[in-house]
Amino acid sequence: MQTMPEVDVLIVGGGLVGASLARALAGSPLRIALAEAVPPADPGQPSFDDRSTALAPTSRRLFQALGRWSEIAPEAAPIRGIHVSDQGRFGVTRLRASDEGLETLGHVAPNRVLGRALAAGLETQANLHLYAPARVTEVEQSDAGVRVGLDGDAVPERIHARLVIAADGSRSRLRKRLGLALTERDYGQSGIVANVAPARDHGGWAYERFTREGPLAVLPQTGGRCALVWTMNTERADAVMALDDDACLAQLQQAFGYRLGAFVRLGRRQAYPLQLLRMPRRVAGRVLFVGNAARTLHPVAGQGFNLALRDVAELAERLHAVACAGGDPGAAGVLHDYERARQADEGRVVALTDGLVRLFSNANPFLALGRNLGLLAMDLLPTLRREFAHQAMGRRARLPRLSRGLPLQMMVDDGTS
């Protein structure tokens, strides 16, 4: 009979969030297993898709602390300014890194680059056993731990963990298996993502343009390219996806304008439905949900992944401290304390993203006047501008060690947390 492996922490899902957490715990005494349905280096791995992600400074510092930034940096474009506008109206706000005494407000990196950097060397991490491909087939909880059934090539039929962390995406199979509640708000929109090449140099500027159809983001990339996230109602998105490249570029040009000159080339397009998905509680016994499995946000302002990485940093810090003290990582007190610690940051980010979508999708002329006056005031008043910039960069939250670029291993030596 096959012996059932026992670990302290089982991470289900090895995408960008799950792999980041596995790496964050590399120096801890915890015994970790990572179960991922698609092998990390497989071209079909979702982390290797064509999308790009805007990284806040807190996310860059986390990758630096994990020793991954040097692999990401060559293909990460710095954001030196952010231009926010409302199509057809006078409101505009400009945020400049130099105004905050910074070199950059963040970076934009292709997901395939992030996925590759996080996956490299996972299979040799000393305290980690990687099971891929592996799918969860059953989950059975007890007071002492969780027994998880696995299906895949050369994986154990069952594994016992004191804590299971679900990082398996917005349509989490583990969440469905446990029958857990999820609140959903369908925005009736889809986001079209692609790479575009403008005639002019973007100069490190990111553009967030609120059109009558939805927000349109054009983000700087290396090589003079830009990453496009074009939001519109789902029916219209289907029609745009059916256009040839020239016709699609013409409609994009009309929506965005000529701040970067003419768009001269369009990469492969993909469309994604946009919803606000949120678990009322992220803890179910000894199972904890993180990343898109816990909440999925509208992409406006590029907050979702950065919020998830602050989750990772907080969780890794707490689990590392518990492990060093000889405690139980799946204890109810540990998980509920973590959940409470992350509520304020999550609440602010959800309110920001959902509020922006609602505010700028409302055609009421008085509301339109108010929001444009607000944009203009933010552009003219440094205090308002700085407050918005700090929220966008993740500075309003309590920052764990990894989000400040500090390794966890020093916690025991210097007594900090």
Side-chain angles (χ1 to χ4, degrees), residues 27 320 324 401 405-417:
H320 179 72
C324 290
R401 290 183 63 88
L406 303 174
L408 297 183
Q409 289 85 335
M410 296 176 61
M411 289 173 57
V412 176
D413 298 332
D414 63 16
T416 63
S417 60

Side-chain angles (χ1 to χ4, degrees), residues 349-399:
V349 172
V350 171
L352 172 67
T353 56
D354 188 53
L356 284 173
V357 174
R358 290 169 174 268
L359 177 63
F360 283 91
S361 62
N362 194 312
N364 182 294
F366 294 103
L367 189 58
L369 176 62
R371 73 193 182 217
N372 278 265
L373 288 172
L375 285 174
L376 186 61
M378 192 181 301
D379 194 50
L380 296 174
L381 300 175
T383 302
L384 287 178
R385 194 168 59 243
R386 187 168 297 114
E387 179 68 15
F388 181 80
H390 283 194
Q391 175 64 61
M393 292 188 292
R395 286 183 165 189
R396 289 190 62 191
R398 171 205 172 270
L399 295 181

